[in-house]
Amino acid sequence: MKRFGETYSVLLLDLDRFKEINDTFGHGGGDEFLIQAASRLRISVREVDFVTRISGDEFAIILSCAGGSETVADIAERVQRAFAIPFHIQERSIQGSVSIGIAMLPNDGVDAEAILQRADEALYAAKREQRGTYRFCDIRDDEKIAYRNLLLRELKRAIAHESFHLEFQPTMGVDSGLTTGFEALIRWQHPELGLVNASDFVPLAEEAGLIHEIGEWVIRKAIDEAATWPDHLRVAINVSAAQFRTLEIAGIIERCIGKTDISADRIEIEVTESMILADIERASDVLTKLRQIGVRVALDDFGKGYSSLVHLIRLPIDRIKIDQFFVSQVETSEECKKMVRAMVRLARELRIDVTAEGVENETQLNFLKAIGCGEAQGFFISRPIKDVRNSGLTTSCFPVARQRAA
Ligand code: C2E
Ligand code: MG
Ligand code: MG
């Protein structure tokens, strides 16, 4: 790849919404999009540069001797500007964008394989940070990447050995202090890394396509466990976008319910707004199927994403869970206070249940009580626990109830 004394830059590009476009317009539409994308790439670079398609929606550009006045960053920006103009597919106007990872030769490596690997890592970082942006590979990322690869290897092993367990965090009726249910949160007990929280490995499992197996295990375990609890307690189960994309999830839940004598309305599936937005049609089908089975649906981390309120009307949603960000700010920010109050009111008007997440102190709980928020959850009420039946929390959320009695 390297000719003596020359510098090259490799740009790896990923078309951000290709899968969605393919699903929406069929392969004919997908092909049209690719052709238009390729020609935009071609016109964004110089005659001497080389553009090629690597796989489905991945392209590469090799810039020779880029530098000086026309920097690599300028060219990456030019490509992204070219994508900012809407595409016309089957007489419809579509917004496209492209994520770009950049590695330079010789600084980032001297052989083709190493350079491509570095560009790929940079592309991964760009997509992770914000789609539609570009990123240069960063040698300092090495450590992070090594850790990620280690985690990934270990995660695969953990799946084979089922080294996971569930913890359960209660939800409490704000007025009554009574426990209304528990949310299942996955944990990974690793011999050297210790107890790994969901937030540290669920996103990785999602990216690596490992979430289906893990997710199915969570559903099975959570339902089996909840079937042994008193009948008034719900179990909330988080599902990932990838699980949610298949209609299969409703079947899995239905089969798990069938194996126990738990009533379906004791199960609440937690989804996020971004999952719904990723594919509204599919989301609507899955949610409708869940409703038919009798399972409830909660919108998790409400307010953090796009908060497209129309979904609250159009989709069968039974509960919103106000994101902990808002709750954590109610003491310091008037705006957040107003937001929480408005979200509680909105839920009430729409006859949707509401839970405030991440309650960490009494002031926050008192505020929620004053504005009529139905349920609350958070470290102040209880941290996630392992053993629900012997926790003393199946009737009331003990620490809070005790404080009130004192
Ligand atoms: P989430 O569903 O919004 O869960 C709440 C997260 O906030 C949990 O972290 C919980 O331990 C933490 N938390 C609860 N109360 C408080 C509080 O008062 N203060 C603070 N600072 N944090 C609090 P965790 O267990 O690390 O889970 C993170 C996310 O990972 C969850 O967010 C959920 O989206 C996902 N997740 C957890 N378990 C599963 C699972 O079994 N499957 C899938 N697909 N995702 C899961
Ligand atoms: Mg949740
Ligand atoms: Mg949440």
Side-chain angles (χ1 to χ4, degrees), residues 1-8:
M1 187 175 184
K2 186 185 180 217
R3 270 179 276 155
F4 185 73
E6 285 181 331
T7 50
Y8 289 90

Side-chain angles (χ1 to χ4, degrees), residues 16 99 125-134:
D16 291 326
S99 303
K127 284 203 295 192
R128 201 187 159 103
E129 255 165 44
Q130 195 184 353
R131 285 171 189 273
T133 56
Y134 65 89

Side-chain angles (χ1 to χ4, degrees), residues 171-396:
T171 46
M172 182 188 84
V174 171
D175 268 339
S176 65
L178 299 178
T179 311
T180 51
F182 289 82
E183 175 177 5
L185 296 162
I186 191 167
R187 299 286 179 262
W188 171 19
Q189 187 67 50
H190 186 276
E192 279 113 45
L193 301 168
L195 189 65
V196 190
N197 272 348
S199 47
D200 293 324
F201 73 92
V202 167
L204 184 63
E206 285 172 353
E207 280 155 25
L210 301 171
I211 199 67
H212 289 279
E213 276 175 83
I214 299 177
E216 192 168 339
W217 179 88
V218 170
I219 293 170
R220 205 173 56 239
K221 275 275 175 209
I223 293 180
D224 282 354
E225 167 76 21
T228 69
W229 299 344
D231 283 347
H232 68 280
L233 294 175
R234 274 190 329 255
V235 64
I237 305 173
N238 293 282
V239 296
S240 289
Q243 287 175 275
F244 199 64
R245 270 198 287 275
T246 63
L247 265 179
E248 203 17 42
I249 184 155
I252 293 170
I253 294 169
E254 197 170 20
R255 276 197 298 283
C256 291
I257 294 174
K259 287 192 186 134
T260 66
D261 58 1
I262 195 167
S263 122
D265 63 1
R266 286 179 55 204
I267 295 160
E268 199 160 88
I269 298 298
E270 296 197 2
V271 302
T272 59
E273 291 166 276
S274 50
M275 281 186 210
I276 292 176
L277 280 172
D279 189 340
I280 303 252
E281 303 279 299
R282 179 66 58 88
S284 170
D285 289 349
V286 175
L287 294 180
T288 307
K289 185 87 206 311
L290 291 176
R291 170 70 52 99
Q292 280 162 5
I293 299 170
V295 166
R296 294 166 53 89
V297 175
L299 205 48
D300 205 356
D301 306 340
F302 187 74
K304 194 169 108 180
Y306 298 92
S307 295
S308 188
L309 297 177
V310 71
H311 299 137
L312 291 182
I313 306 170
R314 296 228 180 110
L315 298 174
I317 307 274
D318 302 288
R319 174 184 305 277
I320 55 172
K321 295 189 76 175
I322 301 174
D323 189 71
Q324 45 182 273
F325 169 80
F326 299 100
V327 179
S328 69
Q329 307 279 317
V330 293
E331 291 141 285
T332 50
S333 155
E334 265 315 303
E335 281 73 27
C336 279
K337 248 179 159 166
K338 286 181 189 159
M339 288 289 228
V340 174
R341 198 179 285 125
M343 286 189 260
V344 168
R345 172 127 191 237
L346 177 72
R348 193 185 309 130
E349 298 276 340
L350 295 174
R351 296 181 197 286
I352 294 173
D353 292 334
V354 59
T355 304
E357 294 187 293
V359 177
E360 290 188 347
N361 62 47
E362 196 168 12
T363 317
Q364 293 165 356
L365 188 63
N366 285 340
F367 170 70
L368 295 169
K369 195 169 180 193
I371 62 168
C373 178
E375 294 186 14
Q377 185 180 25
F379 293 166
F380 180 65
I381 295 158
S382 165
R383 288 193 175 253
I385 52 163
K386 271 190 181 168
D387 182 358
V388 168
R389 266 161 296 159
N390 297 309
S391 64
L393 293 172
T394 53
T395 309
S396 72

